[in-house]
């Protein structure tokens, strides 16, 4: 009997730690996991792994990267939304998981299930044609698209994906329609079709076009960002060419809702410092991604704005709730 | 412009630290490949961050070592325990495992090693001397060509099945299963019944593990308590020079098929090994022996899947376009070094390009050495009592299936496919046919629809574009060849 009591008491003591969220002052007590909802070796994964080291220095505990790919980033995002809100699970989520996919329906989480920590990265978007194409600038593109009456093909990594929606903002402003041509192998598949002249145009990230652009096989018509990119000084913005639209893929850190505020503060502070690390910034430069910083409040506001802007496009394209209707 | 110092760049690879990196890569890759569920793609992806601080030539050659070793290593578990270590070696199961059952595991493993080496070296020669020229050929592949190529691959099902009707039946089953998940054009969810775990469709590797490994475990369990456990006697040794030379046609054909499939972006070692197998069987003097332990069958699949390595590097280095899933991950490895893969790489960094050419040669040579020295050791697996082995296999299957995406749904996939595979085996359906349609079904569907969209519904493109027409012709030819031969020889050829 005494033995049984001892076991019970020991069990209670041992499990007590699980039910009580550790006081924030002690955070973190154990390794912090960053969930990357994309496969190992992809853009998000390289970023996460480059950030892990400086983040470990700030937090004083190991940082583990877990890849949970699938469903255009929704499988991993859902895992973050349903994890314990104790700050030990942080998601590196981009806008497709937080905005696009939610409107396509069929998911088991919403934006409200996640608390934004910080938006820390922008990946610019290019509109590209083969250099043999007669299209030299956006005006030519609009004219050609009107002539083709909706049959101008546009290579995209995925219909309704991260690069596709921003460019649709431009199409809407210009009053044109194109025929999206997705590729199962994503950006690299799109580039293959474009260089091989199987499609009329494509929307791609700078890192994807760099090699072929430098070799003169592709022509970049414009960058969908506020200002020109340092690595592409000759590529004008859309604004310069008379179309006041911007858009990009962004990456952010989120935690499950109900994570204690003081824990979030510690994470945000550590992230802000870690994203200033020199080696990390060097990696970004090589990938062609732009560092940026929005704290929780600013990011939350921006998220709502971006959401409203893209929802209009999603409805125009008849993609809203495509998985539930 | 000064000509690049080719010899200097080649010799730079022979630095001890570089040789060591390649060796470690090949060795590690072989282990990763041999473990079911852990693929070359995963091995390369996980090690990319490690190469960040390395010299580009050393870092990239280590990754290529893993690539080459990973594709090779898959054959070890295919031959010994009927569990393809990677999808690349699924076709090796067909003849490799029966050989091991006959006690000729050493011979099968030896042939697989030699074939992998020959395929790999062949494709390296092509890579080093013809990359820019061949890369432009890869660009001719549009949706129409991909669809016709996939159809050609699917026609293999006809030659693999003992009963053509049963073959078509399970082929259709595989096609239907590949429809689960987001559709390739609009991304609309099909047949997922709201389960997010299946959003990307049936996870291919867990399905493969279930189909081949779990079903086999169930077959084994039927006899596990029988007192008279038959232990396989290990006889024979690695293939003799004469036996190797007897396969020279198959080896050459496999190498060529693998290299070409590797060069074409979007198709990889899985596709290559099936096409090579079916071609070997079709042209063989005694196709009836295939599937019962024919050394030629192992030679065909293994030479083809390793020839993909060099082939897939052709468009990567010459155009910046990856040739298969591993090279797609390698793009990240190049970028982390600040190297933009693409046509300018040859001009800007000849040291890296020539270093990679040299490194891939060495990786293949190391692979042959490691393989041939290890054959005797690997084969010891067969001496493990069945009861222990079966449990170990199940453990690795579960581990491997979960490790890919950390998704519990993948374990259910493995289990369901295991049960389905068991009954398919029992009733003499071809598991290979399910496997092929799972690989090629999605490729065919995506490109049929893209071709349809791009040509506004005009489906004559499949025969009016020359490359596509060639594949359509090959498809028809491979379907009617057996019938023609039967008619000509006047006797029925058992398939």
């Amino acid at each position: 009997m005494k033995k049984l009591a001892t076991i019970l008491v020991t069990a209670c003591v041992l499990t007590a730690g699980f039910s009580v969220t550790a006081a924030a002052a002690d955070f973190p007590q154990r390794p912090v996991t960053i969930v990357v909802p994309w496969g190992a070796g992809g853009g998000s994964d390289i970023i996460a792994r480059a950030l892990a080291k400086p983040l470990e220095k700030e937090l004083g505990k190991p940082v583990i990267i877990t890849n949970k790919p699938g469903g255009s980033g929704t499988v991993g995002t859902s895992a973050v939304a349903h994890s314990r809100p104790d700050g030990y699970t942080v998601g590196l989520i981009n806008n497709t998981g937080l905005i696009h996919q939610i409107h396509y329906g069929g998911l088991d989480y919403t934006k409200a299930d996640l608390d934004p920590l910080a938006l820390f990265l922008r990946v610019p978007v290019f509109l590209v044609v083969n250099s043999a194409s007669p299209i030299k600038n956006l005006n030519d593109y609009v004219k050609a698209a009107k002539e083709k009456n909706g049959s101008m093909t546009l290579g995209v990594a995925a219909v309704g994906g991260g690069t596709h929606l921003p460019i649709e903002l431009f199409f809407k402003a210009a009053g044109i329609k194109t025929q999206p041509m997705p590729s199962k192998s994503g950006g690299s598949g799109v580039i293959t079709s474009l260089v091989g002249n199987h499609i009329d145009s494509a929307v791609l990230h700078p890192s994807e076009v760099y090699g072929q652009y430098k070799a003169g096989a592709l022509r970049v018509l414009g960058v969908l960002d506020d200002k020109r990119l340092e690595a592409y000084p000759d590529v004008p913005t859309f604004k310069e060419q008379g179309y006041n639209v911007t858009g990009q893929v962004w990456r952010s850190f989120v935690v499950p809702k109900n994570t204690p505020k003081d824990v979030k503060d510690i994470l945000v502070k550590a992230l802000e410092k870690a994203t200033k690390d020199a080696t990390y910034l060097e990696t970004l430069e090589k990938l062609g991604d732009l560092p940026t910083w929005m704290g929780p409040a600013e990011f939350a506001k921006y998220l709502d704005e971006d959401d409203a802007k893209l929802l209009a496009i999603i409805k125009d394209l008849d993609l809203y709730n495509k998985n539930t209707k | 412009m000064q000509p690049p110092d080719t010899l200097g760049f080649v010799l730079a690879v022979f630095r001890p630290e570089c040789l060591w990196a390649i060796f470690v890569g090949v060795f590690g890759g072989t282990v990763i490949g041999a473990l079911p569920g852990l693929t070359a793609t995963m091995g390369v992806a996980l090690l990319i961050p490690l190469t960040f601080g390395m010299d580009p030539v050393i870092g990239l050659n280590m990754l290529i070592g893993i690539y080459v070793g990973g594709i090779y290593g898959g054959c070890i578990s295919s031959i010994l325990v009927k569990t393809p270590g990677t999808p690349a070696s699924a076709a090796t199961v067909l003849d490799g495992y029966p050989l091991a059952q006959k006690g000729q595991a050493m011979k099968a493993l030896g042939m697989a090693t030699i074939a992998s080496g020959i395929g790999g070296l062949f494709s390296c020669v092509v890579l080093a001397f013809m990359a820019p020229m061949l890369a432009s050929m890869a660009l001719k592949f549009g949706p129409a060509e991909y669809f016709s190529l996939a159809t050609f691959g699917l026609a293999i099902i006809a030659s693999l099945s003992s009963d053509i009707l049963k073959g078509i039946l399970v082929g259709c089953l595989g096609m239907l299963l590949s429809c689960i998940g987001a559709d390739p054009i609009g991304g609309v969810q099909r047949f997922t019944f709201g389960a997010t775990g299946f959003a990307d469709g049936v996870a291919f590797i867990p399905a493969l593990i279930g189909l081949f490994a779990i079903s086999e475990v169930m077959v084994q369990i039927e006899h596990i308590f029988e007192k008279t456990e038959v232990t396989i006697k290990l006889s024979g040794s690695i293939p003799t020079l004469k036996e190797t030379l007897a396969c020279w046609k198959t080896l050459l054909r496999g190498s060529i098929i693998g290299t070409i499939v590797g060069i074409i972006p979007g198709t990889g070692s899985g596709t290559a090994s099936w096409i090579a197998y079916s071609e070997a069987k079709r042209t063989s003097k005694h196709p009836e022996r295939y599937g019962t332990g024919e050394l030629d069958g192992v030679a065909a699949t293994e030479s083809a899947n390793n020839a993909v390595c060099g082939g897939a590097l052709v468009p990567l280095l010459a155009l910046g376009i990856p040739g298969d899933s591993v090279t797609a991950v390698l793009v990240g490895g190049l970028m982390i070094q600040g190297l933009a893969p693409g046509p300018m790489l040859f001009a800007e960094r000849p040291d890296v390009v020539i270093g990679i050419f040299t490194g891939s040669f060495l990786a293949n040579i190391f692979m042959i050495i490691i393989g041939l020295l290890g054959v005797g050791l690997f084969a010891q697996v067969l001496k493990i009592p069945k009861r222990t082995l079966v449990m170990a296999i199940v453990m690795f299957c579960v581990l491997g299936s979960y490790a890919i995406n950390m998704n519990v749904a993948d374990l259910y996939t493995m289990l369901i496919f295991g049960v389905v595979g068991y009954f398919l085996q029992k009733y003499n359906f071809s598991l290979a046919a399910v496997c092929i349609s799972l690989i090629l079904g999605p490729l065919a569907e995506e490109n049929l629809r893209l071709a349809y969209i791009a040509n506004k519904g005009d489906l004559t493109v499949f025969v009016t574009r020359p490359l596509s027409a060639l594949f359509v012709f090959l498809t028809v030819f491979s379907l009617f060849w057996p019938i023609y031969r039967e008619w000509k020889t006047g006797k029925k050829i058992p398939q």
Side-chain angles (χ1 to χ4, degrees), chain B residues 32 35 87 121 261 287 314-315 338 369 373 395 427 432 441-442 466 468 471 488:
Chain B
I32 289 171
L35 294 173
L121 290 172
V261 172
V314 168
I369 297 171
L373 288 179
M395 192 190 78
Y427 293 98
S468 172
F471 284 116
K488 203 179 167 202

Side-chain angles (χ1 to χ4, degrees), chain B residues 215-266:
Chain B
S215 69
E216 177 65 14
V217 162
M218 292 189 204
V219 172
Q220 299 279 350
I221 287 175
E222 286 180 1
H223 308 289
I224 207 158
F225 291 113
E226 282 169 19
K227 278 268 155 60
T228 50
E229 189 176 323
V230 196
T231 32
I232 299 157
K233 278 204 199 81
L234 281 180
S235 63
S237 58
I238 58 168
T240 58
L241 192 65
K242 204 176 145 205
E243 282 171 311
T244 313
L245 286 178
C247 294
W248 76 272
K249 267 190 198 160
T250 311
L251 288 170
L252 183 67
R253 199 184 305 110
S255 302
I256 295 172
I257 291 173
T259 309
I260 293 174
V261 172
I263 292 172
I264 299 166

Side-chain angles (χ1 to χ4, degrees), chain A residues 40-41 45-46 49 66-72 74-75 78 106-108 151 153 159 179-185 188 191-192 195-196 198 207 210-212 214-215 279 282-283 286-287 319 322-323, chain B residues 45-46 48-49 52 139-143 145 184-189 196 199-200 265 319-322 329 332 335-338 340-344 402 404-407 442 446 450 453-454 456 465:
Chain A
D45 183 65
I46 293 176
R49 286 174 204 271
T66 305
N67 299 92
K68 275 187 181 285
S72 302
T74 56
V75 173
S78 159
L107 295 183
D108 57 358
S151 70
T153 48
V159 170
Q179 174 60 56
M181 298 276 282
S183 164
K184 259 219 159 140
S185 27
S188 71
I191 266 256
T192 316
V195 178
H198 301 288
S207 60
Y210 186 84
Q212 291 291 344
K214 289 283 162 187
T279 324
E282 209 180 299
T283 313
K286 284 175 184 169
L287 292 172
L319 290 170
K322 65 176 179 182
N323 288 324
Chain B
L46 292 177
I48 281 180
F52 181 69
L139 289 175
K140 296 229 159 54
F141 267 72
E145 286 78 14
I185 305 300
V188 176
Q189 298 289 324
T196 31
D200 276 354
L319 301 170
I321 293 163
V329 177
M335 295 202 12
I336 214 164
Q337 298 280 2
M344 298 307 282
Y402 184 69
I404 301 158
N405 292 332
M406 311 256 177
N407 188 340
E446 181 193 5
L450 285 177
I453 295 171
K456 301 190 199 74
R465 292 180 62 110

Side-chain angles (χ1 to χ4, degrees), chain A residues 202-267:
Chain A
V203 48
L204 290 156
H205 291 308
S207 60
E208 292 164 339
V209 305
Y210 186 84
Q212 291 291 344
Y213 172 71
K214 289 283 162 187
L218 299 177
R219 182 181 300 129
V220 181
L221 300 179
V223 53
L224 203 62
D225 211 275
D226 297 327
K227 49 179 195 276
R228 293 187 182 208
L229 304 181
E230 262 173 53
Y232 298 83
D234 304 333
V235 174
T237 63
F238 277 52
K239 220 181 259 177
E240 285 173 50
Q241 302 182 61
Y243 298 95
N244 193 10
V245 280
T246 57
Q248 69 285 106
V249 171
W250 45 255
R251 304 199 202 284
S252 68
F253 284 106
V254 297
V255 285
K257 70 167 178 205
N258 298 329
T259 303
K261 184 167 183 309
D262 29 10
V263 169
K264 283 197 281 189
D265 289 345
I266 292 171
L267 282 170

Side-chain angles (χ1 to χ4, degrees), chain B residues 251-292:
Chain B
L251 288 170
L252 183 67
R253 199 184 305 110
S255 302
I256 295 172
I257 291 173
T259 309
I260 293 174
V261 172
I263 292 172
I264 299 166
T267 52
S269 41
T271 314
S273 55
W274 284 116
I275 293 181
Y277 185 82
S278 123
E279 281 305 293
K281 184 177 178 182
R282 187 178 62 75
T283 52
S284 169
K285 284 200 189 76
H286 29 71
E288 71 282 358
R289 284 198 223 153
Y290 278 71
T292 62

Side-chain angles (χ1 to χ4, degrees), chain A residues 40-55:
Chain A
S44 284
D45 183 65
I46 293 176
I47 300 284
R49 286 174 204 271
L51 252 183
K53 224 175 236 158
L55 198 57

Side-chain angles (χ1 to χ4, degrees), chain A residues 279-293:
Chain A
T279 324
Y280 161 74
L281 289 173
E282 209 180 299
T283 313
L284 286 199
E285 207 184 297
K286 284 175 184 169
L287 292 172
D289 296 350
L290 305 175
T292 181
W293 183 263

